[in-house]
Amino acid sequence: MRRISKRTVFLLILMGILVAGLLFFTARYFLHAREWVTFQGSPHVYSGSNLSSGKVTDRSGVLLLDSTGESRVYAEDETIRKATLHLLGDRYGYISAPILTEYADKLVGFSIVNGLYGAKQASNTAVLSISAQVQKVALEALSGYHGTVGVYNYKTGEILCAVTSPSYDPDNMPDIEGDQTGAYDGVYLNRFFQSATVPGSIFKALTAAAAIETLGDLSGRTFTCNGTLDIEGDTLVCNGTHGTQTLTQAFANSCNVAFGQLAMEVGAETMEEYAEKLGITTSLSFDGLTTAAGSFDLTDAANFEIAWAGCGQYNDLINPCQYMTFMGVLANGGEAALPYIMDRVEGGVFAGYEHGKKTTGRVLERATTDTIAQMMRNNVVNIYGAWQFPDLEVCAKSGTAEVGDGTTPNATFAGFIRDTDYPLAFIVIIEHGGAGSAAAAPIAGKVLNACVDVLSQEKS
């Protein structure tokens, strides 16, 4: 009896270990099976560095990529191929496609229950939120400039445009290494998601937000600009001599003197707090993408440096996608949808995907954003020209970002449309483009009108 009892205990221990092992394996399977199946070395899922399953279309059903055959088939239109290259990747892995990698299990039709479906694994289709037509218009509008254009719906989060330039045709790759003209400098960089750039005066929208919320009522205050501001022996130079002006007028004039004063009054610590809570110094992560983080560091900064930072200079850097989201916050009363680009993957019951809305949470008071929106609207009506945006209530701020070394400044332009039918926020950055109002605003007009055309067609 004693021997039988010992054997029984031993068997029970073995059974317990077996059950524990099965439970451990099952848990790991459910947690990691998708990674095991879609790891980039798998010959069943990847050809080289490229996903070899599934199709990709834009929001209107335009085919952007077909990976179901022996080789990749891109869009028929050459400009669309160029305009979507940094989202879909090229044939050789020089430009990656993290969006497709993130949803590889969906595109190949993997299911936790059924595994890979065999022949069906090539039939799933990813539908992106972008418009191929808008991408094309944006790339053409950049006209060979290096830069980026982004537009998104601040109510839903869907990105309609995310173009970066320069680009190239994946069906006809140029000799990039041998190019001596500079036409392809930085071509492998996705400027919309991966870059951090000097903002220039578009950053004054953030300085205005911090000042309005921390300095009390500024509606009756005036600022005097004589063209320069002496700050402890350093001289802050303005872009003009503006005389006595209200905050709205100073914003329209893009007055460095007024906004330098405001930044110093708000103070380094509070300015840094607003830069952080409005996302300037953090990254966005979605759809396999992680944006570059911007920079706003006033550690040990002198008053002149604080003032210069409040004008979007000093060591200020912004990521275009993140700053576009901030424009959405201003447009939507202090809280906006977070951007996304993968709308859905159409597949089986267990293999499909559909985006779920996420928001920034409330980061500014509605009274603050209403005030800034009115000032940005005044800019368009009285400075930039509302004729560039016919029938659209566009609110915007331009910037001329000094990048040093005596080179032509970067042109920046950011803002939004106040319209329930077309709730769009945008950003345009042109490297060495000069004045934002002259170089970037017309591009914004072309792209926004293209977005409105697409959304109007969807409503009809």
Side-chain angles (χ1 to χ4, degrees):
M1 291 294 292
R2 192 172 297 168
R3 288 181 183 174
I4 294 174
S5 178
K6 287 182 178 179
R7 290 174 181 172
T8 301
V9 171
F10 182 67
L11 288 172
L12 288 172
I13 291 172
L14 288 178
M15 290 176 62
I17 293 172
L18 177 61
V19 171
L22 286 172
L23 290 173
F24 177 74
F25 173 79
T26 302
R28 283 184 56 80
Y29 173 79
F30 277 95
L31 289 172
H32 302 290
R34 298 180 190 279
E35 301 170 22
W36 297 340
V37 170
T38 59
F39 78 100
Q40 289 200 337
S42 171
H44 304 291
V45 179
Y46 285 88
S47 175
S49 61
N50 289 322
L51 189 69
S52 58
S53 298
K55 300 178 181 179
V56 182
T57 74
D58 82 334
R59 62 189 296 117
S60 301
V62 175
L63 183 66
L64 303 178
L65 178 66
D66 185 345
S67 297
T68 60
E70 293 183 2
S71 64
R72 291 186 143 208
V73 176
Y74 290 88
E76 292 184 3
D77 187 288
E78 178 184 343
T79 307
I80 292 176
R81 293 198 297 269
K82 292 179 179 179
T84 56
L85 174 67
H86 289 86
L87 300 175
L88 304 177
D90 66 0
R91 298 183 185 280
Y92 311 105
Y94 294 115
I95 295 176
S96 62
I99 299 172
L100 302 187
T101 301
E102 177 72 8
Y103 297 96
D105 60 312
K106 307 296 184 185
L107 284 165
V108 303
F110 173 75
S111 163
I112 288 289
V113 176
N114 298 321
L116 289 175
Y117 303 175
K120 290 185 179 180
Q121 73 181 65
S123 65
N124 290 355
T125 299
V127 180
L128 304 185
S129 62
I130 62 168
S131 164
Q133 180 59 29
V134 174
Q135 294 280 120
K136 180 178 180 178
V137 169
L139 187 62
E140 290 175 337
L142 283 168
S143 302
Y145 274 114
H146 293 194
T148 185
V149 181
V151 183
Y152 99 121
N153 185 318
Y154 55 79
K155 295 286 188 182
T156 64
E158 54 192 330
I159 294 175
L160 279 77
C161 178
V163 163
T164 184
S165 175
S167 186
Y168 58 84
D169 183 355
D171 283 349
N172 187 22
M173 186 174 178
D175 179 14
I176 294 172
E177 297 302 320
D179 177 68
Q180 300 296 318
T181 67
Y184 296 103
D185 288 352
V187 70
Y188 300 132
L189 177 71
N190 187 323
R191 284 167 162 79
F192 184 65
F193 294 114
Q194 297 172 334
S195 73
T197 186
V198 180
S201 290
I202 61 173
F203 195 84
K204 288 170 181 169
L206 186 146
T207 303
I212 290 168
E213 292 201 345
T214 61
L215 299 181
D217 185 11
L218 299 175
S219 60
R221 181 168 172 180
T222 59
F223 304 84
T224 300
C225 171
N226 295 315
T228 61
L229 178 65
D230 181 72
I231 306 173
E232 300 169 351
D234 289 308
T235 301
L236 181 68
V237 179
C238 197
N239 57 11
T241 301
H242 303 119
T244 301
Q245 55 195 330
T246 65
L247 179 61
T248 297
Q249 292 169 330
F251 196 64
N253 292 329
S254 200
C255 180
N256 290 342
V257 169
F259 279 86
Q261 289 176 334
L262 287 173
M264 287 189 292
E265 290 180 38
V266 171
E269 184 176 347
T270 302
M271 285 292 294
E272 287 180 334
E273 288 175 1
Y274 271 81
E276 181 177 359
K277 81 172 184 173
L278 295 175
I280 301 304
T281 58
T282 57
S283 297
L284 287 173
S285 293
F286 58 92
D287 297 335
L289 298 158
T290 298
T291 68
S295 174
F296 189 82
D297 184 4
L298 297 180
T299 304
D300 298 325
N303 280 331
F304 174 80
E305 293 164 333
I306 296 171
W308 199 218
C311 297
Q313 296 287 165
Y314 185 42
N315 61 10
D316 299 7
L317 295 173
I318 61 167
N319 169 257
C321 182
Q322 181 64 277
Y323 204 80
M324 177 190 71
T325 307
F326 168 48
M327 290 294 105
V329 168
L330 293 179
N332 203 45
E335 177 179 6
L338 288 170
Y340 71 90
I341 203 162
M342 179 63 77
D343 187 69
R344 62 189 184 276
V345 178
E346 298 173 342
V349 175
F350 298 104
Y353 166 82
E354 188 167 352
H355 173 78
K357 179 180 175 180
K358 299 179 181 178
T359 75
T360 60
R362 178 159 298 280
V363 291
L364 289 174
E365 296 299 322
R366 179 173 289 277
T368 303
T369 61
D370 286 349
T371 298
I372 297 173
Q374 292 290 354
M375 294 195 300
M376 294 177 75
R377 179 59 183 165
N378 176 71
N379 291 351
V380 173
V381 172
N382 294 309
I383 305 296
Y384 313 137
W387 56 267
Q388 296 192 80
F389 315 98
D391 303 320
L392 298 177
E393 190 178 350
V394 172
C395 309
K397 182 72 186 79
S398 69
T400 305
E402 298 179 15
V403 290
D405 300 326
T407 58
T408 303
N410 290 352
T412 59
F413 197 70
F416 49 88
I417 302 175
R418 286 196 299 187
D419 191 318
T420 55
D421 290 327
Y422 311 110
L424 302 174
F426 63 88
I427 188 166
V428 179
I429 296 177
I430 304 175
E431 296 172 16
H432 310 302
S437 57
I443 293 175
K446 292 177 182 178
V447 176
L448 289 176
N449 285 317
C451 288
V452 169
D453 288 343
V454 168
L455 294 179
S456 297
Q457 291 171 11
E458 292 177 357
K459 294 176 186 296
S460 63

